[in-house]
Amino acid sequence: MKKYLLYALAAICLITTSCTEEIDTSARYVFREETISSYLEKHKQYSEYYRLLGEVFVSKISDTNVKQLLSARGHYTIFAPTNDAIQEYLDSLVTIGLIPEANWDAFESDHVRDSIYHVIVFNSIIDSGNDYDEYEINSLPPATATSKSVEIPLPNMNDRKLTVQYTDLPDSILINDCVIDKINRDILCINGVIHAMHNVVSPSNNTLDFLLKKYIEDENSGFVVSSKIIQACGLFKTLSANRDETYEDLFQKGGVIPTTSESVGDGGREVFHTPAHRYFGFTLFAETDEFWAQAIGKDIKDITMEDVMNYLDNHGVYPEATRDNDYEAEDNLLYQFATYHLLPERLPANKLIYHYNEKGYDTSKKTPSVAVMEFYTTMGKRRLLKIFESKESNGVYLNRFPNLDNERHGTYHELSCDPDKEGIALGEPNMGGENNIRNGIILVQR
């Protein structure tokens, strides 16, 4: 575990950011109100976090530290860990064996210690730039009808999109499993907003292949068989991809010309910039071990790939596919089955279906109305996956084909759905803890 963490920390140190690198001192305000930096400086519960802001630079090529960045004009959202939260984080590093004692002098090298500084600081800040506002609590993306975990649209300084998690408790909101203080939230400053955090926001840097390997090792993970199918098809190497290093090299050497474009439409003005990084992402629609145990009639420990092949063959899946044990071949039955469960893009549950202006849709309540569907091209052989949602479906479905009221004066709502065309319902994804991986998301078939 330690070597994986050190590898992840080393990778963080290589990250550059698109945040402003030059501080325009003429843009600083000298009013009675506080900048984020001045507010944090005056409140002792953030003293350790404030110190770290001065230790971390905006990028490897900048002389500006993050403390200076947060003293200038901008729209920043700060998930500021308290001193207790940082100490608890150090305690967790002792638990996993990274350091022997819970203090900053216990790190084996300055390099590893500085990586931890970056983890704490870069993950705690969202820079909305000049085109978007900061995120107060009431402007965070709301829960949807099918999911209480929703990604924040803009990434943090670590180029990660954080997840808002809503609970059944009133006013209890989490950011990547980290609790926002119920009182010290929505602290408005001149250049942004501060939310006090009871934990350090530190999403995992693991990739989808790493998580699936852990599922195989943990017989109680609930996805042992699905993970073994992916492994047998030789897809772990593909699912380990996170960033396009060829693009990275071209961008840094000037081979990619930075451009800015602007779009003005019904949704308002949007500005688009050439990205500094190109990331890979994946979405896996996974059957549970409970499904496989019931379908095959064996304990999951005893289920083999031959058992899965026989099950698929008996159900007439991909009749043109080959039936041998060359599972990594594109024409193989198991390979076609596995890749049809994968999209070459990372899509959280709230983005599978794009709701906008359909009749009866309430943008504030996010309640589905008429039938809406999207079609995605899966991995492997070129095939389409239909993703569907309506008021009557009570959730998001894969390959649902209901009978719609689509006559000339129809409502386009579902009238009925034949049992063999209901499709597969998707459950709420687990985006907490180690499941919140960098390059992928797993959606459960319920």
Side-chain angles (χ1 to χ4, degrees), residues 87-157:
Q87 186 59 50
E88 181 180 317
Y89 185 70
L90 288 172
D91 291 339
S92 71
L93 299 183
V94 174
T95 301
I96 64 174
L98 183 63
I99 50 177
E101 298 177 9
N103 62 70
W104 293 114
D105 295 328
F107 287 88
E108 62 183 29
S109 69
D110 292 346
H111 174 74
V112 177
R113 183 203 62 203
D114 292 345
S115 297
I116 294 295
Y117 286 173
H118 277 77
V119 168
I120 296 173
V121 172
F122 276 29
N123 282 310
S124 67
I125 302 170
I126 295 176
D127 179 4
S128 297
N130 297 322
D131 304 308
Y132 302 94
D133 292 330
E134 60 273 6
Y135 290 103
E136 297 178 44
I137 293 297
N138 63 5
S139 63
L140 289 170
T144 67
T146 56
S147 179
K148 293 182 179 179
S149 298
V150 187
E151 277 192 346
I152 299 175
L154 296 178
N156 60 19
M157 286 182 65

Side-chain angles (χ1 to χ4, degrees), residues 281-285 318 339-355 372-389 396-401 426 441 443:
F282 307 95
T283 303
L284 171 63
F285 302 103
Y318 305 118
T339 52
Y340 191 68
H341 286 66
L342 284 163
L343 299 180
E345 51 206 319
R346 185 183 184 277
L347 288 171
N350 63 307
K351 292 184 179 179
L352 287 171
I353 294 288
Y354 184 67
H355 293 286
V372 178
M373 62 203 78
E374 307 284 349
F375 291 88
Y376 295 93
T377 303
T378 65
M379 293 177 61
K381 285 180 174 290
R382 184 176 176 83
R383 295 156 296 174
L384 289 180
L385 180 66
K386 178 184 180 182
I387 302 183
F388 178 98
E389 185 177 28
V396 178
Y397 276 73
L398 302 180
N399 291 335
R400 182 178 179 87
F401 296 90
L426 293 180
I441 189 167
L443 297 173

Side-chain angles (χ1 to χ4, degrees), residues 13-85:
C13 292
L14 297 176
I15 293 173
T16 58
T17 177
S18 60
C19 298
T20 306
E21 294 188 3
E22 295 297 326
I23 300 300
D24 180 6
T25 56
S26 66
R28 291 179 180 168
Y29 292 87
V30 194
F31 298 154
R32 293 180 180 178
E33 293 91 344
E34 303 280 0
T35 64
I36 291 171
S37 285
S38 62
Y39 180 90
L40 295 171
E41 181 182 17
K42 293 180 180 180
H43 291 78
K44 292 184 179 179
Q45 65 173 328
Y46 306 110
S47 61
E48 187 64 3
Y49 178 63
Y50 180 73
R51 182 185 72 81
L52 297 185
L53 294 178
E55 296 288 337
V56 177
F57 290 88
V58 171
S59 76
K60 295 178 110 179
I61 61 174
S62 175
D63 293 328
T64 300
N65 61 45
V66 179
K67 183 191 298 183
Q68 294 170 313
L69 181 73
L70 299 182
S71 68
R73 177 184 296 169
H75 296 282
Y76 302 101
T77 303
I78 311 299
F79 299 108
T82 62
N83 293 343
D84 289 341

